[in-house]
Amino acid sequence: MPEPSSRRHLLRTAAILGGVSAVTSAAGAQAAPRPHDPTFVLVHGANGNAASFAPLVAALAREGHRAMAVDLPGHGPDGNFPASYQAPQDLAALAAAPSPTLARTTLAHNVRHVVDTVRRVARHGPVVLVGHSMGGATITRVGNEVPDLIGRLVYLSAFCCVRLRSVVDCFRTPQAASTLLPMIPAVRTPERLGVSRTNWRSADPALLTAAKAALAADYDDASFRAALNTFEPDESAAVPTDDARGAPATWGRIPRTYVRYTRDRAIPLALQDRMIEEADRATPGNRFDVRSLEAPHLGPKDPRPLAAVLTDLL
């Protein structure tokens, strides 16, 4: 059931936008990357880590492209997986378990982490900075900080705030009314924990049905469960409320692409289009290059169409 409080409901909705990321591998590449070739730097959204982008990174590597992903603070090796989250689960303990890193994590922490990565990668050639879902808030703010180090920003059905201040503000718009995210049951944690928590390892049919409808309706059940097993239970409660706006003078001068996922039931297509329109209005001389894929929120199950879109940007 959705959270009873309007504010908690919005925080929760923003925080369960699954992200995708991965560790790069050149295995199977057809051609070795050359110095000064672009590098795709991939930034996951909420509940993500450097794992679920692995198929996409492999697809890019097979075409000879460099790609890597970042684990945002409190994710990946630093993710919070309480003992109560393991089977057999202790649901009462899970609701009260602390989340030491994410409880203190803000959007500014994510931005600093990715800025450091961009600076390091940019020594070897151009950077194409890619964000999925709530990862869009991070890459926008990174664009404010180091616009001259980014060759292109790419939003994969991701939040791009310009007029709207935050991810939560995006969910308050009429264009977000059809999102199915509130139907995914939440773990009711005390606000003092500073996180939104979802029990992705639950066997509750209601949760699995709601999550599949919101995130991956086009996937078969086996593929959906495989994707679900890359999710992390916790996400910062602060990141969705922080100021995620791009500044026209910095972020606004970077070439940018928006990849619309036309079957997305988490970030509805109408909301994606509103964010594109508002960004273009803010920087009429540097409008979005818009592409579309028939995909749910997690992206196409087969990564090759998305890899082809990204490759075409080079």
Side-chain angles (χ1 to χ4, degrees), residues 82-94 187 198-204 233:
S84 53
Y85 188 57
Q86 309 299 323
Q89 291 189 318
D90 182 337
L91 298 182
L94 179 61
V187 176
T198 306
N199 184 8
W200 301 113
R201 290 182 179 163
S202 171
D204 178 7

Side-chain angles (χ1 to χ4, degrees), residues 179-252:
T179 180
L180 296 183
L181 288 173
M183 302 309 297
I184 303 175
V187 176
R188 298 179 183 273
T189 57
E191 283 199 35
R192 61 180 172 77
L193 293 185
V195 297
S196 297
R197 180 168 292 159
T198 306
N199 184 8
W200 301 113
R201 290 182 179 163
S202 171
D204 178 7
L207 185 148
L208 295 174
T209 299
K212 188 172 187 288
L215 303 173
D218 296 356
Y219 288 27
D220 59 76
D221 288 343
S223 297
F224 170 63
R225 287 193 297 270
L228 204 63
N229 273 282
T230 68
F231 291 5
E232 299 188 2
D234 287 359
E235 188 52 64
S236 164
V239 170
T241 66
D242 289 343
D243 191 338
R245 288 173 291 184
T250 49
W251 160 88

